[in-house]
Amino acid sequence: MLKVGVLVSGGGTNLQAILDAIDSGKITNAQVTVVISNNPNAYALQRAEDHGIKALCISPKQYEDREDFHKALLNRLQEEQVDLIVLAGFLVAVPPMIVEAYPYRIINIHPSLIPSFCGVGYYGLHVHEKVLERGVRVTGATVHFVDTGTDTGPIILQKAVKVKQGDTPQILQKRVMEKAEWKILPKAINLIANGKVTVKDGKVMIEE
Ligand code: GAR
């Protein structure tokens, strides 16, 4: 049974999609053992508690400097003995210290089709604002392994979503979540939990 630690910063709808997929049997061989937020007010923590899952906050504000915060986060993940770390709307850059401790064992959901609309400064609603500004007709979401760059790791799954006339960033964000994020993130976890995902020459291979 894969022990999954989910890192969050906000509402936690992707966390909810993971928990629902475990409950309904769409994800097998995995359990969420801990949810950690950098933000004490994240509603995601409440969702975890409501599900009987250990929920805790590790905030940079509790530490002298960034390095101490990173060490505390890493220590906690190691104490919890998680096998897979899922960044589900975690808006903190994961430092090399943590990436190197979990090679190809950290995944992230990003709300665009990488390599479009990603990298530093592209997170949450900003991504959808930029998509609408550029006027692209198709956007989507990507699940990828986390490496030391920003949104540069090997891509596991992607799903396209249409941009519609009259979309606002909020409307588009909701469509991308419903039609793409909440589907491909649980699917990727299920594939990993069942040993179907490997990385070869920096690219992901999926056993069908
Ligand atoms: C999601 O749209 C996720 O893709 C995005 O933050 C939102 C979190 O929502 N993540 C990023 O932008 C990472 N670069 P949630 O808390 O409701 O799951």
Side-chain angles (χ1 to χ4, degrees), residues 14 108-118 124 127-128 131-132 136-144 155 157-164 167 169 172-185:
N14 278 286
N108 178 48
I109 177 81
H110 182 78
S112 76
L113 292 174
I114 290 175
S116 289
F117 306 103
C118 64
V127 175
H128 307 291
V131 162
L132 292 176
V136 295
R137 302 293 187 187
V138 177
T139 184
T142 303
V143 183
H144 63 93
I155 290 170
L157 294 175
Q158 292 188 299
K159 192 162 189 289
V161 175
K162 277 186 188 159
V163 179
K164 295 188 182 170
D167 273 351
L172 184 57
Q173 179 180 52
K174 187 160 178 278
R175 188 178 315 118
V176 169
M177 283 177 156
E178 284 173 0
K179 295 208 181 291
E181 296 186 42
W182 301 343
K183 294 194 164 102
I184 62 175
L185 184 56

Side-chain angles (χ1 to χ4, degrees), residues 41-60:
N41 302 316
Y43 184 63
L45 290 173
Q46 187 65 47
R47 291 183 193 267
E49 272 172 20
D50 290 349
H51 229 85
I53 293 165
K54 192 187 292 181
L56 45 111
C57 171
I58 299 179
S59 161

Side-chain angles (χ1 to χ4, degrees), residues 4 36 87 92 116 120 135 175 186 202:
V4 180
I36 303 176
L87 310 183
V92 169
S116 289
V120 176
R175 188 178 315 118

Side-chain angles (χ1 to χ4, degrees), residues 11-206:
T13 63
N14 278 286
L15 167 68
Q16 192 66 54
I18 296 166
L19 299 177
D20 292 348
I22 291 174
D23 289 349
S24 69
K26 284 189 183 155
I27 296 177
T28 56
N29 288 325
Q31 55 181 339
V32 176
T33 51
V34 66
V35 172
I36 303 176
S37 173
N38 61 308
N39 164 16
N41 302 316
Y43 184 63
L45 290 173
Q46 187 65 47
R47 291 183 193 267
E49 272 172 20
D50 290 349
H51 229 85
I53 293 165
K54 192 187 292 181
L56 45 111
C57 171
I58 299 179
S59 161
K61 293 183 187 145
Q62 299 161 335
Y63 300 91
E64 283 260 301
D65 57 28
R66 213 67 191 166
E67 195 177 351
D68 283 358
F69 163 60
H70 292 154
K71 278 186 193 155
L73 188 55
L74 177 59
N75 284 343
R76 191 64 199 228
L77 290 163
Q78 288 174 332
E79 265 169 43
E80 298 291 337
Q81 300 188 312
V82 301
D83 304 306
L84 178 72
I85 298 169
V86 176
L87 310 183
F90 187 57
L91 303 182
V92 169
V94 176
M97 185 199 292
I98 298 182
V99 174
E100 280 152 20
Y102 291 90
Y104 300 130
R105 288 200 291 145
I106 308 176
I107 65 171
N108 178 48
I109 177 81
H110 182 78
S112 76
L113 292 174
I114 290 175
S116 289
F117 306 103
C118 64
V120 176
Y122 285 84
Y123 60 91
L125 212 52
H126 299 301
V127 175
H128 307 291
E129 284 165 6
K130 299 281 182 201
V131 162
L132 292 176
E133 257 170 52
R134 184 62 186 84
V136 295
R137 302 293 187 187
V138 177
T139 184
T142 303
V143 183
H144 63 93
F145 282 112
V146 173
D147 64 10
T148 51
T150 306
D151 302 328
T152 50
I155 290 170
I156 307 168
L157 294 175
Q158 292 188 299
K159 192 162 189 289
V161 175
K162 277 186 188 159
V163 179
K164 295 188 182 170
Q165 215 113 344
D167 273 351
T168 62
Q170 289 79 2
I171 291 171
L172 184 57
Q173 179 180 52
K174 187 160 178 278
R175 188 178 315 118
V176 169
M177 283 177 156
E178 284 173 0
K179 295 208 181 291
E181 296 186 42
W182 301 343
K183 294 194 164 102
I184 62 175
L185 184 56
K187 191 172 174 187
I189 295 169
N190 186 52
L191 289 168
I192 292 168
N194 288 285
K196 308 276 191 202
V197 178
T198 49
V199 183
K200 201 175 165 226
D201 301 328
K203 291 194 187 65
V204 168
M205 318 281 281
I206 297 176

